[in-house]
Amino acid sequence: MQTIMKPPSERNSAQSAAVPMRKIDPQNRAHTFNEVALGYTEEEALREARRCLSCPQPRCVEGCPVGVDIPAFIRLIKDGKYDASIRKVKEKNSLPAVCGRVCPQEQQCQNHCVRGRKGDPVSIGRLERFVADIEREKGIVTPPMTKPTGRRVAIVGAGPAGLTAAADLAKLGHRVIVFEALHLAGGVLVYGIPEFRLPKKIVQTEVDYVKKLGVRFHYDSLIGRLFTIEELLKEGFDAVFIGSGAGLPLFLGIPGENLGGIYSANEFLIRVNMMKSYRFPEFDTPIKIGEHVAVIGGGNVAIDSARSALRLGAKEVCIIYRRSREEIPARAEELQNAEEEGVDCRFLAAPTRFIGDEQGKVTGVELAAMELGEPDASGRRRPVPIKGSEFILNVDTAIVAIGRTPNPIIQSETQGLKTTAKGTIIAEQETGRTSIDGVYTGGDILTGEATVISAMGAGKRAARAMHEYLLSKDQAKTLPLSS
Ligand code: FAD
């Protein structure tokens, strides 16, 4: 039976403290893929909503990349008007149940909340999740359709950037078709972020909402191979949005990295999430996980990999991060969850080589202790190895989660599309307009790996710019590729 962690009651009384969200007890959750955070009850949501001061000049909205009218949706919760509240959120955000779960609100809207000056900011994300979950349980309502414009748009990639651009363009009356390389929509939301943080049924409901807006999806359609961007434009689309993300894993480039038992986090998480290896033998796609697992990296991807390894049966899981706890880029809440579950963290350490046995299987990783030097280009203090500090950690599995870079197919197949040395597409930040007329972009393919909400913000800005571009074109064309 599941036990639930009770929020500390003494904190609830003070207006300066946020109403905590209930979570499954660490001992019970560390070995299942059930969602860890349980959301607010109605009573908790009302209490938290009442902490919002309804500032006349709300700074929280400035911190929201998609510009949700935060005080307005919270006011509607206070009034018990939950349907109106979610409608208010959805005026700007088509994926609220996702954002309410995985957005780093602490660095965005909540970071600007006036309440945060003398206590906890209002838990905007949890309130967004609350109204989104109520709507999901009751049945998603779609807004009335706009008169069709006769313009046709192709969206490449069904991640948060593509889904947002698609939803906004459909709401404006354009005919939108999404081309997705995989067999389902959601991008990292389905193949990267694990079930215990973001249940797939939540993503599916939000994708279904985008479908209800009239957006059509073509799966298993790798653009750059099936059709080029040029072909899409020639064959009847008036504009194209590229939201193909940053799905290519980076490697350490150290000796022994090709030994058996070493995964890239991408491969590991795709096998866990998409191929459902955690549901073996129900799904006949097991993944081999050892007893002693090292995860290299300090972002959300590393934390997700470590927590997944634990749930798959590893006895010890250690995250190895080259800077200190203060610099770790993962969400503080998720690092805390991981540590509560038993994941160990070794800060200020970096791998120098992997060691293997005669069968070519990893048996250990050599680590060098690090100290922090002067700030580097990222503004964070550069980790510097301490000479002679190397030591061996015995492991039988390692997962490398040190970053991702754009998949190069579209860039290499599209003449005239300007890109950076890192493979991201060059475009105007405010509009996503690329070097090719009618081609727009946004999300990780534009910025390099970032966040769900920043990808959605980019999709939104591009949709607005594309709408203006589409209205400036004079005639609709036919669409042979859509069938
Ligand atoms: P993606 O989500 O990568 O979607 C791109 C889509 O394009 C994919 O579906 C891909 O299959 C498709 N595609 C690629 N190439 C082609 C092609 N040639 N033709 C057709 N389709 C193509 N962010 C947060 O805010 N909070 C978190 O907690 C968080 N956790 C994360 C955990 C993990 C494990 C990972 C990997 C990332 C996490 N992120 C998190 C980052 C966030 O998920 C990404 O920044 C976001 O998904 C980027 O959205 P996108 O639409 O640009 O790209």
Side-chain angles (χ1 to χ4, degrees):
M1 206 184 79
Q2 255 178 20
T3 54
I4 292 169
M5 284 171 91
K6 285 233 171 72
S9 53
E10 68 276 15
R11 298 188 75 219
N12 297 357
S13 53
Q15 275 283 297
S16 62
V19 176
M21 184 165 54
R22 292 155 308 125
K23 295 190 280 188
I24 302 176
D25 182 88
Q27 282 79 40
N28 287 303
R29 71 182 192 234
H31 303 290
T32 84
F33 277 76
N34 295 343
E35 189 174 18
V36 166
L38 298 173
Y40 277 155
T41 60
E42 185 172 8
E43 186 271 326
E44 287 164 345
L46 284 169
R47 240 178 327 128
E48 185 60 15
R50 286 188 198 117
R51 293 184 63 243
C52 177
L53 299 170
S54 300
C55 305
Q57 284 176 330
R59 297 195 47 233
C60 52
V61 181
E62 290 166 28
C64 174
V66 296
V68 170
D69 188 344
I70 294 166
F73 100 78
I74 295 183
R75 204 174 308 119
L76 289 162
I77 295 181
K78 286 185 209 174
D79 296 343
K81 296 178 178 163
Y82 307 135
D83 294 350
S85 177
I86 189 62
R87 277 203 300 279
K88 182 52 71 186
V89 174
K90 281 191 159 176
E91 281 174 9
K92 295 291 168 76
N93 184 346
S94 301
L95 313 174
V98 168
C99 289
R101 284 169 167 81
V102 302
C103 271
Q105 291 100 4
E106 62 282 1
Q107 292 157 24
Q108 292 168 331
C109 52
Q110 291 178 195
N111 193 25
H112 295 255
C113 174
V114 176
R115 276 257 183 231
R117 290 187 195 152
K118 286 192 183 161
D120 295 338
V122 175
S123 302
I124 299 164
R126 293 171 184 174
L127 292 172
E128 183 181 32
R129 170 185 169 153
F130 170 73
V131 281
D133 285 356
I134 289 188
E135 191 200 31
R136 200 183 66 254
E137 276 153 27
K138 285 171 66 175
I140 305 285
V141 181
T142 26
M145 300 306 278
T146 318
K147 198 166 154 268
T149 62
R151 300 286 182 265
R152 298 162 178 102
V153 183
I155 306 280
V156 181
L163 289 173
T164 303
D168 281 17
L169 286 160
K171 281 188 206 164
L172 290 163
H174 305 297
R175 186 159 168 218
V176 183
I177 298 190
V178 178
F179 293 91
E180 167 54 50
L182 298 173
H183 62 281
L184 74 177
V188 168
L189 307 179
V190 286
Y191 78 72
I193 303 180
E195 185 78 15
F196 54 83
R197 258 197 330 123
L198 181 62
K200 302 305 153 232
K201 65 171 194 255
I202 305 281
V203 183
Q204 192 53 52
T205 310
E206 309 239 297
V207 171
D208 289 346
Y209 169 71
V210 178
K211 283 184 185 161
K212 279 189 183 168
L213 295 172
V215 174
R216 287 171 58 194
F217 287 77
H218 287 205
Y219 296 110
D220 302 312
S221 303
L222 184 67
I223 298 304
R225 292 284 184 274
L226 186 64
F227 307 118
T228 61
I229 298 291
E230 200 181 2
E231 281 168 342
L232 290 175
L233 287 169
K234 267 199 197 138
E235 300 292 331
F237 288 97
D238 298 291
V240 177
F241 174 84
I242 306 173
S244 50
L248 217 58
L250 288 172
F251 290 95
L252 291 154
I254 59 172
E257 207 170 2
N258 290 329
L259 286 163
I262 303 180
Y263 298 95
S264 75
N266 251 42
E267 177 195 355
F268 178 71
L269 289 172
I270 285 176
R271 287 176 64 174
V272 172
N273 287 315
M274 282 194 109
M275 298 166 77
K276 302 262 182 286
S277 52
Y278 67 94
R279 283 167 62 183
F280 177 78
E282 185 191 342
F283 284 76
D284 197 14
T285 43
I287 187 163
K288 187 165 167 26
I289 193 88
E291 295 195 339
H292 305 282
V293 180
V295 179
I296 321 292
N300 288 319
V301 185
I303 308 277
D304 284 345
S305 303
R307 295 174 75 194
S308 298
L310 203 65
R311 284 161 169 77
L312 288 167
K315 280 195 182 142
E316 284 177 348
V317 181
C318 182
I319 288 179
I320 293 158
Y321 179 56
R322 59 194 186 140
R323 291 185 165 94
S324 72
R325 184 183 285 274
E326 284 66 48
E327 283 87 21
I328 201 160
R331 294 189 68 193
E333 187 175 321
E334 300 304 348
L335 176 62
Q336 187 196 343
N337 282 338
E339 290 186 311
E340 281 173 6
E341 288 161 12
V343 170
D344 197 17
C345 292
R346 207 174 270 253
F347 296 101
L348 291 166
T352 50
R353 67 186 170 109
F354 289 103
I355 300 146
D357 60 17
E358 46 297 341
Q359 276 93 45
K361 175 95 183 52
V362 70
T363 57
V365 55
E366 183 184 79
L367 302 171
M370 312 294 272
E371 59 188 355
L372 294 180
E374 292 301 309
D376 61 16
S378 72
R380 293 175 303 169
R381 291 178 63 194
R382 185 191 300 274
V384 184
I386 301 171
K387 268 206 182 106
S389 65
E390 291 80 8
F391 60 101
I392 309 275
L393 185 72
N394 292 327
V395 297
D396 48 20
T397 306
I399 301 168
V400 179
I402 57 160
R404 299 172 304 123
T405 160
N407 189 314
I409 293 175
I410 292 178
Q411 297 86 315
S412 63
E413 295 298 324
T414 313
Q415 274 198 358
L417 186 66
K418 289 196 178 150
T419 56
T420 65
K422 287 184 174 164
T424 50
I425 297 175
I426 296 175
E428 285 176 6
Q429 287 298 319
E430 266 318 296
T431 60
R433 196 155 68 106
T434 70
S435 50
I436 301 179
D437 187 45
V439 179
Y440 293 74
T441 189
D444 284 3
I445 185 71
L446 172 64
T447 54
E449 53 176 337
T451 61
V452 171
I453 195 74
S454 60
M456 291 176 63
K460 227 177 170 50
R461 289 192 296 278
R464 208 176 306 132
M466 289 170 84
H467 178 57
E468 280 168 26
Y469 171 83
L470 291 164
L471 293 188
S472 72
K473 295 192 83 172
D474 39 36
Q475 275 214 323
K477 299 171 194 164
T478 50
L479 182 60
L481 290 176
S482 68
S483 54

